[in-house]
Amino acid sequence: ESRSCSNFMLRSLRFARASLARPVWRSLSMARELQVEAWYFEDDGKDQRLPHKYEPNREVSLDKLSQLGVLQWALDADNYKTDPELQKIRDDRGYSYEDIIEVSPDTLPGYDDKIRTFFEEHIHTDEEIRYVLDGSGYFDVRDENDEWIRISCKKGDMIVLPEGMYHRFTLDDTNYIKAMRLFVGDPIWTPFNRPQEENPSRVKYVKEFLTVQAEGKEAEASEENVAPVENGTAQPPPEKRQKLAEEPGAKTEA
């Protein structure tokens, strides 16, 4: 009974954390519908700008991204200068700094070197916030099993990656993105390439997000394997009980 209670508490904590991570709309009429496009990345060695989807595609839900600490909003990019929804997000989360960056072969000095740097697996010691004003690209993030999840970011999408999360970025085959970068206070863009397991930001991320998921899965597995009790005696799982019943000489009840 105590183990079942513990398992229930772990699942409740996991659900609560995912729920708190999701962005909450104050006015749905002021934002377009959020259409999450994310999937597990197939590392087949081809051009990084291609979608890299498995066949069949392994889709990833908004709930899954929330559990990993990823936040997303869908905003009105055509009116970003006067959008009250964007301003509210900035006020609520303390995003005091902003600038706008254009990434393309024609607009970014040292384009080739920068693209290679963006695609190196790394973490930051602060959140990474990007609001796509035009164009598109991909953020790749690691899940709790160290698999890559690819997130498609298009015009109007705003994404926040938590500090300490392994990630990388690339353009897609359009070779262009225009994005607003937001930050709390003075910006620090320093990437810390993997491995960073001892970095305090990485330790914090693992504790807040990955450990909770691992504990939740262990609790679910433990609950599934709890042996039923009959007449005060623990019984084997149903599958094994069926197998024992089918063995030669097994007793059957009338």
Side-chain angles (χ1 to χ4, degrees):
E1 183 176 342
S2 61
R3 181 163 59 176
S4 296
C5 181
S6 176
N7 292 347
F8 174 77
M9 292 177 66
L10 282 170
R11 290 198 306 274
S12 298
L13 177 60
R14 186 180 176 193
F15 175 80
R17 187 179 298 280
S19 298
L20 288 172
R22 299 188 190 105
V24 179
W25 295 111
R26 295 304 181 99
S27 175
L28 287 172
S29 63
M30 300 174 68
R32 64 185 177 84
E33 184 180 358
L34 180 58
Q35 297 289 344
V36 177
E37 288 189 87
W39 56 88
Y40 277 98
F41 177 94
E42 182 185 23
D43 193 358
D44 55 12
K46 296 180 181 178
D47 189 335
Q48 69 190 46
R49 299 170 303 162
L50 297 176
H52 288 269
K53 293 183 178 180
Y54 282 93
E55 290 291 344
N57 186 30
R58 297 169 58 195
E59 295 182 355
V60 177
S61 68
L62 176 60
D63 281 346
K64 177 64 177 181
L65 295 178
S66 295
Q67 290 168 15
L68 294 171
V70 178
L71 305 182
Q72 291 181 289
W73 291 265
L75 303 173
D76 182 4
D78 290 328
N79 297 293
Y80 72 90
K81 293 181 180 179
T82 58
D83 183 9
E85 199 68 39
L86 173 61
Q87 189 59 53
K88 171 142 189 53
I89 294 169
R90 294 187 60 171
D91 292 342
D92 288 348
R93 301 185 65 82
Y95 298 149
S96 55
Y97 173 90
E98 74 167 77
D99 68 11
I100 292 176
I101 183 172
E102 287 188 84
V103 181
S104 75
D106 298 327
T107 60
L108 184 66
Y111 170 81
D112 291 332
D113 290 337
K114 291 287 179 62
I115 285 297
R116 280 192 291 270
T117 299
F118 295 159
F119 204 60
E120 288 287 333
E121 184 174 2
H122 62 278
I123 67 170
H124 296 290
T125 54
D126 295 277
E127 290 180 337
E128 178 159 337
I129 308 106
R130 298 292 183 271
Y131 176 21
V132 182
L133 303 178
D134 199 7
S136 52
Y138 298 123
F139 272 103
D140 296 338
V141 301
R142 290 285 192 186
D143 75 353
E144 72 278 11
N145 297 316
D146 216 30
E147 287 193 83
W148 282 120
I149 293 174
R150 171 151 285 192
I151 306 170
S152 175
C153 295
K154 300 178 180 179
K155 181 178 178 179
D157 292 339
M158 181 174 175
I159 187 169
V160 178
L161 306 183
E163 68 169 286
M165 180 184 219
Y166 283 128
H167 66 281
R168 62 190 184 187
F169 173 79
T170 184
L171 293 178
D172 57 21
D173 55 10
T174 65
N175 287 321
Y176 177 76
I177 195 169
K178 178 181 180 181
M180 176 185 293
R181 302 189 297 182
L182 298 165
F183 207 86
V184 178
D186 295 329
I188 301 173
W189 310 122
T190 308
F192 294 89
N193 289 351
R194 189 170 186 173
Q196 291 293 326
E197 303 313 313
E198 304 303 318
N199 187 302
S201 290
R202 179 61 185 174
V203 172
K204 176 183 176 183
Y205 175 77
V206 170
K207 181 179 179 180
E208 290 188 0
F209 295 101
L210 302 189
T211 301
V212 169
Q213 290 203 58
E215 289 174 344
K217 287 184 177 180
E218 288 177 3
E220 290 172 1
S222 175
E223 190 169 75
E224 289 174 359
N225 292 324
V226 171
V229 176
E230 292 181 8
N231 299 324
T233 304
Q235 302 297 312
E239 297 82 0
K240 190 169 184 180
R241 296 175 73 181
Q242 178 65 29
K243 184 176 181 182
L244 290 172
E246 294 172 354
E247 290 180 357
K251 293 182 179 180
T252 58
E253 296 182 359

